[in-house]
Short mmCIF file of all heavy atoms in Angstrom, two decimals:
data_model
loop_
_atom_site.label_atom_id
_atom_site.label_comp_id
_atom_site.label_asym_id
_atom_site.label_seq_id
_atom_site.Cartn_x
_atom_site.Cartn_y
_atom_site.Cartn_z
N PRO A 7 -87.98 56.01 -49.35
CA PRO A 7 -86.56 56.31 -49.59
C PRO A 7 -85.62 55.22 -49.07
O PRO A 7 -86.01 54.36 -48.28
CB PRO A 7 -86.36 57.62 -48.83
CG PRO A 7 -87.39 57.58 -47.75
CD PRO A 7 -88.58 56.89 -48.34
N SER A 8 -84.38 55.30 -49.52
CA SER A 8 -83.38 54.30 -49.14
C SER A 8 -82.99 54.40 -47.68
O SER A 8 -82.31 53.51 -47.16
CB SER A 8 -82.13 54.46 -50.02
OG SER A 8 -81.55 55.75 -49.84
N THR A 9 -83.42 55.46 -46.98
CA THR A 9 -83.13 55.58 -45.54
C THR A 9 -84.10 54.75 -44.69
O THR A 9 -83.93 54.68 -43.47
CB THR A 9 -83.20 57.05 -45.10
OG1 THR A 9 -84.41 57.64 -45.58
CG2 THR A 9 -82.01 57.84 -45.65
N TYR A 10 -85.09 54.15 -45.31
CA TYR A 10 -85.97 53.23 -44.60
C TYR A 10 -85.14 52.03 -44.13
O TYR A 10 -84.43 51.41 -44.91
CB TYR A 10 -87.10 52.75 -45.53
CG TYR A 10 -87.83 51.53 -45.05
CD1 TYR A 10 -88.67 51.58 -43.94
CD2 TYR A 10 -87.68 50.31 -45.72
CE1 TYR A 10 -89.34 50.44 -43.50
CE2 TYR A 10 -88.35 49.18 -45.29
CZ TYR A 10 -89.18 49.25 -44.18
OH TYR A 10 -89.84 48.12 -43.75
N VAL A 11 -85.23 51.71 -42.83
CA VAL A 11 -84.55 50.55 -42.26
C VAL A 11 -85.59 49.43 -42.15
O VAL A 11 -86.57 49.57 -41.41
CB VAL A 11 -83.95 50.86 -40.88
CG1 VAL A 11 -83.26 49.62 -40.31
CG2 VAL A 11 -82.97 52.02 -40.97
N PRO A 12 -85.41 48.33 -42.89
CA PRO A 12 -86.43 47.29 -42.95
C PRO A 12 -86.93 46.83 -41.57
O PRO A 12 -86.15 46.37 -40.74
CB PRO A 12 -85.73 46.15 -43.69
CG PRO A 12 -84.76 46.85 -44.59
CD PRO A 12 -84.27 48.01 -43.78
N ALA A 13 -88.23 47.02 -41.36
CA ALA A 13 -88.95 46.54 -40.16
C ALA A 13 -88.44 47.13 -38.86
O ALA A 13 -88.69 46.58 -37.79
CB ALA A 13 -88.91 45.01 -40.09
N ARG A 14 -87.76 48.27 -38.91
CA ARG A 14 -87.14 48.82 -37.70
C ARG A 14 -88.13 49.08 -36.58
O ARG A 14 -87.88 48.69 -35.43
CB ARG A 14 -86.39 50.12 -38.04
CG ARG A 14 -85.71 50.77 -36.83
CD ARG A 14 -84.88 51.98 -37.22
NE ARG A 14 -85.68 53.01 -37.86
CZ ARG A 14 -85.18 54.17 -38.29
NH1 ARG A 14 -83.88 54.43 -38.15
NH2 ARG A 14 -85.95 55.07 -38.86
N ASN A 15 -89.24 49.72 -36.88
CA ASN A 15 -90.19 50.03 -35.81
C ASN A 15 -90.86 48.78 -35.24
O ASN A 15 -91.23 48.75 -34.07
CB ASN A 15 -91.24 51.04 -36.28
CG ASN A 15 -90.71 52.46 -36.27
OD1 ASN A 15 -89.69 52.75 -35.64
ND2 ASN A 15 -91.39 53.35 -36.97
N ILE A 16 -91.02 47.76 -36.07
CA ILE A 16 -91.54 46.49 -35.56
C ILE A 16 -90.57 45.92 -34.53
O ILE A 16 -90.97 45.48 -33.44
CB ILE A 16 -91.75 45.49 -36.70
CG1 ILE A 16 -92.79 46.02 -37.69
CG2 ILE A 16 -92.17 44.13 -36.16
CD1 ILE A 16 -92.94 45.16 -38.94
N ILE A 17 -89.30 45.94 -34.87
CA ILE A 17 -88.27 45.40 -33.98
C ILE A 17 -88.16 46.23 -32.70
O ILE A 17 -88.12 45.69 -31.59
CB ILE A 17 -86.92 45.36 -34.73
CG1 ILE A 17 -86.99 44.35 -35.88
CG2 ILE A 17 -85.78 45.01 -33.77
CD1 ILE A 17 -85.85 44.46 -36.87
N PHE A 18 -88.14 47.55 -32.85
CA PHE A 18 -88.02 48.42 -31.68
C PHE A 18 -89.23 48.28 -30.75
O PHE A 18 -89.09 48.21 -29.53
CB PHE A 18 -87.87 49.88 -32.12
CG PHE A 18 -86.53 50.21 -32.73
CD1 PHE A 18 -85.55 49.25 -32.91
CD2 PHE A 18 -86.25 51.51 -33.15
CE1 PHE A 18 -84.32 49.57 -33.48
CE2 PHE A 18 -85.03 51.83 -33.70
CZ PHE A 18 -84.06 50.86 -33.88
N LEU A 19 -90.42 48.26 -31.33
CA LEU A 19 -91.62 48.15 -30.52
C LEU A 19 -91.71 46.80 -29.81
O LEU A 19 -92.20 46.73 -28.68
CB LEU A 19 -92.86 48.37 -31.38
CG LEU A 19 -93.26 49.82 -31.63
CD1 LEU A 19 -94.36 49.89 -32.68
CD2 LEU A 19 -93.72 50.48 -30.33
N ALA A 20 -91.23 45.75 -30.46
CA ALA A 20 -91.23 44.44 -29.82
C ALA A 20 -90.35 44.45 -28.57
O ALA A 20 -90.72 43.89 -27.52
CB ALA A 20 -90.76 43.37 -30.80
N HIS A 21 -89.21 45.09 -28.65
CA HIS A 21 -88.33 45.21 -27.49
C HIS A 21 -88.97 46.08 -26.40
O HIS A 21 -88.88 45.77 -25.21
CB HIS A 21 -86.98 45.79 -27.90
CG HIS A 21 -86.09 44.82 -28.60
ND1 HIS A 21 -86.26 44.49 -29.92
CD2 HIS A 21 -85.02 44.09 -28.17
CE1 HIS A 21 -85.33 43.61 -30.28
NE2 HIS A 21 -84.57 43.36 -29.24
N ALA A 22 -89.59 47.17 -26.83
CA ALA A 22 -90.26 48.05 -25.85
C ALA A 22 -91.38 47.30 -25.14
O ALA A 22 -91.57 47.44 -23.92
CB ALA A 22 -90.83 49.28 -26.57
N LEU A 23 -92.12 46.50 -25.88
CA LEU A 23 -93.21 45.72 -25.30
C LEU A 23 -92.68 44.70 -24.29
O LEU A 23 -93.25 44.52 -23.21
CB LEU A 23 -93.96 45.01 -26.43
CG LEU A 23 -95.17 44.18 -26.06
CD1 LEU A 23 -96.22 45.02 -25.36
CD2 LEU A 23 -95.76 43.55 -27.33
N SER A 24 -91.58 44.06 -24.64
CA SER A 24 -90.97 43.09 -23.73
C SER A 24 -90.54 43.75 -22.42
O SER A 24 -90.80 43.23 -21.32
CB SER A 24 -89.75 42.44 -24.41
OG SER A 24 -89.10 41.54 -23.55
N TRP A 25 -89.89 44.91 -22.54
CA TRP A 25 -89.44 45.61 -21.33
C TRP A 25 -90.62 46.11 -20.51
O TRP A 25 -90.61 46.05 -19.28
CB TRP A 25 -88.52 46.76 -21.71
CG TRP A 25 -87.71 47.31 -20.57
CD1 TRP A 25 -87.34 46.65 -19.43
CD2 TRP A 25 -87.15 48.62 -20.47
NE1 TRP A 25 -86.59 47.46 -18.62
CE2 TRP A 25 -86.45 48.68 -19.24
CE3 TRP A 25 -87.14 49.73 -21.30
CZ2 TRP A 25 -85.77 49.83 -18.82
CZ3 TRP A 25 -86.46 50.87 -20.90
CH2 TRP A 25 -85.79 50.91 -19.66
N ALA A 26 -91.65 46.58 -21.20
CA ALA A 26 -92.84 47.05 -20.49
C ALA A 26 -93.45 45.93 -19.65
O ALA A 26 -93.88 46.16 -18.51
CB ALA A 26 -93.86 47.59 -21.49
N GLU A 27 -93.48 44.72 -20.18
CA GLU A 27 -94.03 43.59 -19.42
C GLU A 27 -93.21 43.35 -18.15
O GLU A 27 -93.77 43.10 -17.08
CB GLU A 27 -94.05 42.34 -20.28
CG GLU A 27 -95.21 42.26 -21.25
CD GLU A 27 -95.68 40.84 -21.44
OE1 GLU A 27 -95.00 40.10 -22.19
OE2 GLU A 27 -96.71 40.46 -20.85
N VAL A 28 -91.91 43.43 -18.28
CA VAL A 28 -91.04 43.21 -17.12
C VAL A 28 -91.24 44.31 -16.08
O VAL A 28 -91.27 44.04 -14.87
CB VAL A 28 -89.56 43.15 -17.56
CG1 VAL A 28 -88.63 43.12 -16.35
CG2 VAL A 28 -89.32 41.93 -18.45
N LEU A 29 -91.41 45.54 -16.55
CA LEU A 29 -91.59 46.68 -15.65
C LEU A 29 -92.99 46.74 -15.04
O LEU A 29 -93.21 47.47 -14.07
CB LEU A 29 -91.32 47.98 -16.39
CG LEU A 29 -89.90 48.23 -16.88
CD1 LEU A 29 -89.87 49.45 -17.81
CD2 LEU A 29 -88.95 48.43 -15.71
N GLY A 30 -93.91 46.03 -15.63
CA GLY A 30 -95.30 46.16 -15.21
C GLY A 30 -95.94 47.42 -15.76
O GLY A 30 -96.91 47.93 -15.20
N ALA A 31 -95.38 47.92 -16.87
CA ALA A 31 -95.92 49.12 -17.52
C ALA A 31 -96.89 48.71 -18.62
O ALA A 31 -96.68 47.70 -19.30
CB ALA A 31 -94.79 49.95 -18.11
#
């Protein structure tokens, strides 16, 4: 559907991964 945001979860997960590294998570 048109409510799909292109590559959104890739972008969100990349940020989560970056923060996890900083946190030691």
Side-chain angles (χ1 to χ4, degrees):
S8 61
T9 49
Y10 164 70
V11 180
R14 180 175 59 179
N15 280 344
I16 298 173
I17 294 166
F18 288 2
L19 276 171
H21 284 78
L23 182 59
S24 178
W25 196 24
E27 281 214 282
V28 172
L29 294 170

